Amino acid sequence: MHKFISFNRQIISANDAKLSAISSASLYGKGVFTTLAVNGGKPFLWEKHWRRLCENAKKLNIKLIDEEMCKAEIYKLIEANKVINGKMRITFFDESASKIWQFQTENKTSILIVTADLREVSNINLTVSPFRINSTSPLVNLKSCNYLEQTLALEDAQNRGFNEAVRLNERGEITSATMANIFWLKDEKLFTPSLKTGCLQGTTREFILENYECFEVENGLESLENADEIFLTSAVIGIQRANFGKLKTVKDDKVFRFLQSLFPH
């Protein structure tokens, strides 16, 4: 992480940020966030990230600051940390009181923005996570601060010697990786899990769907086992090939090269 952060519209060091220990954010992980790429000193696909933040915040009854105010803070932090190409996380914490543990509160929302360098991602090896996604969960399709389940799934995969893991839902349908959306190629046709599976409505996923014909499906693990190629996508990694089982990535593929060309380098 870079030296400076933005917390409640002030540029400070990370050690100086204070979040109430008895807020709904601390007690229950009530908050929303997005992670985006910074390219050429500008947030990439900003409109998509802001729209999703607003949609998610509305579902969780979290108040956001004005978009232009948020963008002003973004550029102040980019300048303070001298970020040309990197990554950024924007988090809105609900600091209001809960109905379970009541206390005095100003009923406000805190905003935290942090930046960091991008890390090189390559040779992604996938396994299958033993932890299923509940497609009926009230948190499904939400990028909330309650992210422990995804973190535990990733740690489990890494402890078994893999970089990432495919997560299935309660019906055995492919949903995503732990920290990325998933696509696969079969007979030159591109597929990705539909939102009905419980997968996250990723901004990069949406961007690809807007620029390339893709079939949204509810398929089982056999689709990955029989795929010609598998791709993982997120705001931070863009699009990357992945190995799964006996499948090894190919060296030259026109679909992958086209999709990769959509993203800044």
Side-chain angles (χ1 to χ4, degrees), residues 105-132:
T105 176
E106 297 179 3
N107 194 30
K108 66 175 183 178
T109 304
S110 288
I111 175 174
L112 170 69
I113 308 175
V114 300
T115 61
D117 294 332
L118 290 171
R119 61 182 178 86
E120 199 69 32
V121 178
S122 61
N123 196 29
I124 299 175
N125 292 309
L126 288 170
T127 185
V128 179
S129 174
F131 310 128
R132 297 289 180 105

Side-chain angles (χ1 to χ4, degrees), residues 188-254:
E188 298 188 353
K189 293 181 180 179
L190 190 64
F191 300 87
T192 196
S194 78
L195 297 182
K196 295 177 182 178
T197 66
C199 78
L200 181 70
Q201 191 171 354
T203 55
T204 306
R205 175 187 182 276
E206 179 183 352
F207 184 57
I208 289 175
L209 292 180
E210 291 172 348
N211 287 277
Y212 197 89
E213 182 181 22
C214 181
F215 299 91
E216 297 179 75
V217 295
E218 297 90 50
N219 286 11
L221 200 58
E222 65 278 359
S223 290
L224 295 184
E225 295 170 339
N226 297 319
D228 297 324
E229 283 199 82
I230 297 172
F231 312 132
L232 298 187
T233 67
S234 76
V236 173
I237 68 172
I239 179 167
Q240 297 289 336
R241 290 187 175 109
N243 300 317
F244 179 67
K246 296 180 180 180
L247 172 69
K248 302 298 179 184
T249 58
V250 297
K251 297 298 182 183
D252 187 31
D253 175 76
K254 63 181 181 181

Side-chain angles (χ1 to χ4, degrees), residues 1-18 73 76-78 80-81 89 93 111-116:
M1 195 169 74
H2 293 152
K3 180 179 180 180
F4 297 110
I5 68 169
S6 173
F7 187 68
N8 288 337
R9 302 178 61 197
Q10 291 186 329
I11 303 297
I12 58 176
S13 71
N15 292 332
D16 294 329
K18 307 296 180 185
E73 295 307 308
K76 282 167 56 179
L77 185 62
I78 286 175
N81 285 328
R89 171 168 164 152
F93 298 104
I111 175 174
L112 170 69
I113 308 175
V114 300
T115 61

Side-chain angles (χ1 to χ4, degrees), residues 27-46:
L27 292 176
Y28 314 114
K30 189 178 180 185
V32 293
F33 78 96
T34 193
T35 304
L36 50 85
V38 177
N39 179 257
K42 297 180 180 179
F44 184 57
L45 298 180
W46 166 252

